[in-house]
Amino acid sequence: MPVRFPDLPGSDGSAGPGAGGLPAALALGGLAAWFTVTVLSQHPSREFDRVAERDRTGVAVPNWRFFAPEPAQHDYHVLYRTEAAGGGTSGWLEASAISDRRPSQMLWFPGRRREKGLFDVCSELITVMKRYGADLTGAPAYRMLRNSVARVVETAAGDGTPPLGFQFVVARHTGHDTGHPPDYVFASPYIRYDPADPYP
């Protein structure tokens, strides 16, 4: 009578690990193909995106290019100036601020969403400007920036005399690398400010 080893697969007469047959082979082949497509889809060259583009859900073939196609190497700053009701123009003030980084922000940093939103809107504005030319007043990215600056102007005016209008610029800066001057990539036209409708 053969000795049985109950801790070993197949010792009780059942099928061993290699006896799954065709379904197991198909499952392993499918997993291998999915793994191969996923790895190739992370390649920097967009030639490998053809298979991933067939995934309409965007879930089956994940995209792990965290910094695709290139990591961001700069920040965007939005500056504005106002025209006073009594005449004269203010100096350039910052409508957006990049907060200094602290270790605690690795755990809790809700302000990062605002900074990331500003970066995305400015990037979209620059992309639209390169593609369609100088007239951006109808672009959603322009309207979002204009309304955001108008809100800052409204808050700064408070209960005092509101300005007649304002203008804003988008500056691109390398952040902590102070060896490079800021690059002013967009300047808005003059925007008339109406306290009754501060968001034109």
Side-chain angles (χ1 to χ4, degrees):
M1 183 174 187
V3 179
R4 295 187 181 274
F5 299 93
D7 293 334
L8 297 177
S11 61
D12 57 354
S14 63
L22 185 60
L26 289 175
L28 286 174
L31 285 173
W34 171 78
F35 179 78
T36 302
V37 169
T38 300
V39 170
L40 289 177
S41 295
Q42 313 315 310
H43 195 279
S45 174
R46 295 296 177 178
E47 292 293 324
F48 295 96
D49 286 351
R50 294 177 182 172
V51 177
E53 288 172 357
R54 296 179 182 270
D55 175 24
R56 300 188 180 215
T57 64
V59 176
V61 181
N63 185 351
W64 294 326
R65 293 189 190 103
F66 295 115
F67 305 108
E70 296 177 358
Q73 300 175 355
H74 54 264
D75 292 322
Y76 285 110
H77 297 262
V78 179
L79 310 170
Y80 74 97
R81 62 181 178 179
T82 59
E83 181 187 10
T89 304
S90 71
W92 289 103
L93 305 169
E94 191 157 6
S96 62
I98 306 297
S99 61
D100 293 334
R101 299 297 185 252
R102 299 185 300 275
S104 62
Q105 292 172 339
M106 290 188 292
L107 301 175
W108 179 250
F109 189 15
R112 176 60 183 152
R113 293 183 181 273
R114 181 177 177 86
E115 293 178 6
K116 179 64 169 65
L118 175 69
F119 184 90
D120 290 345
V121 170
C122 290
S123 297
E124 176 67 16
L125 183 73
I126 303 309
T127 301
V128 172
M129 183 173 64
K130 289 179 179 178
R131 186 176 302 170
Y132 298 110
D135 187 13
L136 302 175
T137 55
Y142 171 83
R143 293 199 305 266
M144 290 180 69
L145 282 175
R146 178 199 61 197
N147 292 352
S148 176
V149 174
R151 181 173 302 209
V152 173
V153 170
E154 180 186 29
T155 302
D159 297 331
T161 304
L164 295 178
F166 64 93
Q167 181 189 23
F168 69 90
V169 298
V170 176
R172 186 167 51 199
H173 194 256
T174 53
H176 295 290
D177 186 3
T178 57
H180 298 278
D183 182 19
Y184 298 97
V185 294
F186 175 77
S188 78
Y190 175 79
I191 303 166
R192 188 165 296 281
Y193 180 77
D194 182 3
D197 184 17
Y199 313 121

